[in-house]
Amino acid sequence: MRPRTWVLVLAAVFAVLQLANVSGRDTPDSKNYLSYALSLRGDNKREAAAATIDYVCASKASIAHRNQKVNVVRFHAPSPTRQVREDCRAAEWRGVDPRLRAGQTGGHTVPFMPERFMRIFDVRPGYPAFLVPFLVLFGVKWGLWAAGVVIAVAAGVLVFLILRTLSVPVPLALTGQALYYVLPCGTTAMRPMTEGLLLALTLAAVWGCALVLHGHRERTGLVLVGGSLLALFTVKHSQALFLGVCLAGAGAVIAVRRWRRGAAPGRGVVALAVVGCGAVAGTMLLAKVLHYPSESESLQDLLTGHFARPDRTSPWPEFLHLQVNFWGEWLRRQLWEPLFLAALAAGAWGVWRGRRRAFGGFLLGAAFTGILTQAGHPDINIWGERLIVLAWLLPVVGVPLLLESVLRDRVVMPAQGHPDRAHSMR
């Protein structure tokens, strides 16, 4: 089969496997994004609240039913589905109804939480806008599932395109696509949250870097990087800021390193650094002009439990103290189950050992945005590792590069050693 056929086969297999969990993927923030999307679809606040609550409670009931079926004590008891759904609906409406009656109807989201907290989601229209066509065509349950599949599949295809732009043989490029699906990237991308779209857009920016540095399509690559950063601003402006900082930093480090060796920095490296700097300045300016919540507001949200307690008078010392505690506990847990650290090490080794260190620097920068995102929210209980999930992009792209370098040293790859077959590998 042609490479594009294998790409489609992998994508189709992943999509079929996701039918095992059509519901039960949501997190507490999912209802904020869903209600925003329903508002964009044209639903009024009560209609959006009813549809969102029905989806969330049906999900909880489904999970309760599945858990009860394998409970060693209660597996023969009646299904708790109906009771869980009714209790969930009652609890959600107890929080929402008084706020609606009190006139908390500004913005696009349903007031599931205090107004200050909901403002954080009101400035993230990108993901809800992406959901609207799926909700219109398939309804809430299947629309969210289909949107997740499209986002995850697209990101996997982007991994393949990045590796092929770097002239990695097709089998290893397909390996990268498969890694994206089987590692936590794929699982996280399927959740009705912004992380899946953040992953896809960050990969699009990384592909742009590959096109600039190795694809001989500098203008196309720069447009792709700039467009991805602009789209990231609408999805989650902090990610646009972090990625801009990391791209600018990577470009600066590479340029200085080359300059100290007596070589030219390279036009592509400088151009990518300039685009990163532009993204940083543009994000900060737009966020101020549009009156987006500041970093101090986000800090108060973190330290007050979503504004359930009075604001802290000295938040920064407490935040730094929490950082120290968080990363100590995070490292302890990682050493207990070191898969993530081992994957990061393998990806970094692949980047260092390969022949594409300039690209590797920008890949490291993109992956480092996951560390920055986690550092901005040092909460060990935020739904597994979804905040740091962007760091998984390093092994997803780096491990195929490592395999390529190992195989190149030991065997002759078909695309490189047999010119008559090279065309079939593209």
Side-chain angles (χ1 to χ4, degrees):
M1 292 189 292
R2 292 184 176 184
R4 70 185 66 178
T5 305
W6 282 112
V7 170
L8 294 175
V9 167
L10 281 178
V13 169
F14 174 80
V16 170
L17 293 177
Q18 302 318 300
L19 290 170
N21 291 281
V22 177
S23 62
R25 298 178 185 269
D26 55 296
T27 71
D29 288 346
S30 297
K31 57 189 178 185
N32 301 321
Y33 294 111
L34 175 56
S35 66
Y36 196 140
L38 291 171
S39 176
L40 293 178
R41 190 181 69 171
D43 296 23
N44 61 41
K45 282 292 189 293
R46 284 203 171 271
E47 291 171 340
T52 301
I53 290 172
D54 284 348
Y55 171 78
V56 170
C57 294
S59 178
K60 288 183 178 180
S62 175
I63 293 173
H65 177 63
R66 295 200 297 261
N67 290 339
Q68 185 263 340
K69 288 196 302 182
V70 293
N71 187 293
V72 295
V73 176
R74 300 181 54 82
F75 66 92
H76 49 70
S79 172
T81 300
R82 181 176 179 181
Q83 188 63 47
V84 169
R85 184 184 290 112
E86 290 177 355
D87 291 346
C88 173
R89 284 175 175 168
E92 292 291 345
W93 277 113
R94 275 197 303 271
V96 172
D97 193 58
R99 294 191 178 102
L100 290 177
R101 292 180 183 277
Q104 188 180 331
T105 57
H108 290 283
T109 55
V110 170
F112 291 105
M113 295 285 284
E115 193 169 0
R116 284 177 71 186
F117 179 70
M118 300 311 298
R119 172 65 178 158
I120 295 173
F121 295 93
D122 268 329
V123 300
R124 300 175 182 176
Y127 178 63
F130 176 82
L131 291 178
V132 171
F134 297 93
L135 298 179
V136 171
L137 291 174
F138 306 112
V140 173
K141 177 181 176 180
W142 285 100
L144 289 176
W145 179 88
V149 168
V150 169
I151 291 172
V153 164
V157 173
L158 283 169
V159 174
F160 177 86
L161 293 173
I162 291 167
L163 292 168
R164 289 301 293 142
T165 300
L166 299 175
S167 300
V168 173
V170 169
L172 296 181
L174 291 169
T175 299
Q177 181 187 359
L179 283 174
Y180 183 88
Y181 294 149
V182 302
L183 289 175
C185 310
T187 303
T188 304
M190 281 298 301
R191 290 191 180 279
M193 297 283 291
T194 58
E195 277 72 25
L197 200 50
L198 294 180
L199 283 162
L201 291 172
T202 302
L203 281 169
V206 172
W207 185 27
C209 294
L211 288 171
V212 170
L213 298 173
H214 296 280
H216 308 294
R217 299 173 66 182
E218 183 174 315
R219 182 176 299 179
T220 301
L222 291 175
V223 170
L224 187 57
V225 174
S228 299
L229 287 164
L230 181 60
L232 281 170
F233 180 86
T234 69
V235 178
K236 195 174 183 182
H237 70 280
S238 61
Q239 176 62 15
L241 178 64
F242 291 157
L243 185 56
V245 167
C246 289
L247 292 181
V253 169
I254 295 167
V256 170
R257 188 166 176 265
R258 288 179 174 179
W259 175 75
R260 294 180 67 178
R261 291 183 173 184
R267 189 174 68 176
V269 170
V270 173
L272 289 171
V274 169
V275 171
C277 290
V280 173
T283 297
M284 295 177 68
L285 179 61
L286 277 175
K288 187 173 183 178
V289 169
L290 297 174
H291 304 291
Y292 278 13
S294 64
E295 65 277 1
S296 60
E297 188 74 352
S298 179
L299 192 59
Q300 291 290 355
D301 168 53
L302 173 73
L303 296 176
T304 60
H306 305 315
F307 306 108
R309 300 175 181 85
D311 283 8
R312 303 298 178 96
T313 56
S314 302
W316 285 107
E318 293 187 44
F319 178 72
L320 295 177
H321 187 182
L322 181 60
Q323 286 283 349
V324 174
N325 294 346
F326 172 83
W327 288 110
E329 174 62 15
W330 181 87
L331 183 59
R332 185 193 67 80
R333 297 189 183 192
Q334 295 303 318
L335 293 175
W336 183 14
E337 298 180 275
L339 173 62
F340 182 46
L341 294 180
L344 289 179
W349 187 19
V351 167
W352 177 258
R353 183 170 176 171
R355 301 166 296 174
R356 312 169 185 88
R357 291 187 181 178
F359 167 79
F362 288 101
L363 173 63
L364 283 168
F368 190 69
T369 60
I371 305 296
L372 291 177
T373 302
Q374 183 68 81
H377 302 79
D379 186 347
I380 208 74
N381 298 312
I382 298 184
W383 286 88
E385 297 182 340
R386 69 175 179 85
L387 291 175
I388 206 170
V389 70
L390 284 152
W392 281 100
L393 297 183
L394 179 57
V396 165
V397 180
V399 167
L401 294 176
L402 175 61
L403 293 174
E404 182 203 26
S405 64
V406 171
L407 292 173
R408 186 178 63 244
D409 293 342
R410 297 188 179 185
V411 300
V412 178
M413 294 300 294
Q416 297 166 344
H418 301 283
D420 59 326
R421 292 181 58 190
H423 179 71
S424 65
M425 298 295 288
R426 293 192 176 96

